[in-house]
Amino acid sequence: MNARALMVCLAAAWLTGCQWLPAQSRDDVAETTVAKVETPNCYAEVPGFADETCLLRDWVAFGLASQRGDGEWRERMRERLVGTQTETRLARAVVMSWGPPSQWKQASELFKADLHAAPPRLQPLLRYWLNEIERRRDQQHRLASSEQARDALVEEKEALAQKLDALTDIERNINSRQRTE
């Protein structure tokens, strides 16, 4: 019977036990909500180095905007990012790295020239972007080389086909002479 009483007590405690557990006060919930709302408002249209709390967020957002933007957007940003300040030159490099392949070399040179002057927290991201653009430049170079090699093979094939046709014609002439004799 003791076991039965114990089971009933445990069942009752289990069913009503939630009210006995320490509950988080409403003030704590309100403070957590306020803390989440007070996070810094990052994602500036043009990133800089001044705001340490938003540094990475701003640059990542700018890189994504450059990647997703069309040619017109990138051209407006390039015109806006004229200057010799390191952060301006690096932002211009980001924009150009997502532009046409003709701009990739200049973007790479800007990254290489100013990467060391960027804040240490930002340097790995910029180095990643530099490596990415160098990889794309290398792929573009390999593609151009393979297209040139393919074009040369097509020309060589056409020349060999013409020679084969000429040899076939000569053989036909020889065979037709032998038949007439």
Side-chain angles (χ1 to χ4, degrees), residues 137-155:
R137 288 181 65 207
D138 183 55
Q139 285 180 339
Q140 181 192 26
H141 177 70
R142 282 187 283 154
L143 177 63
S145 296
S146 68
E147 286 177 352
Q148 286 176 347
R150 184 185 56 85
D151 291 344
L153 288 173
V154 166
E155 288 177 12

Side-chain angles (χ1 to χ4, degrees), residues 47-64:
F49 296 159
D51 190 358
E52 185 67 25
T53 58
C54 292
L55 185 69
L56 287 175
R57 289 182 204 162
D58 282 350
W59 281 89
V60 168
F62 185 71
L64 289 172

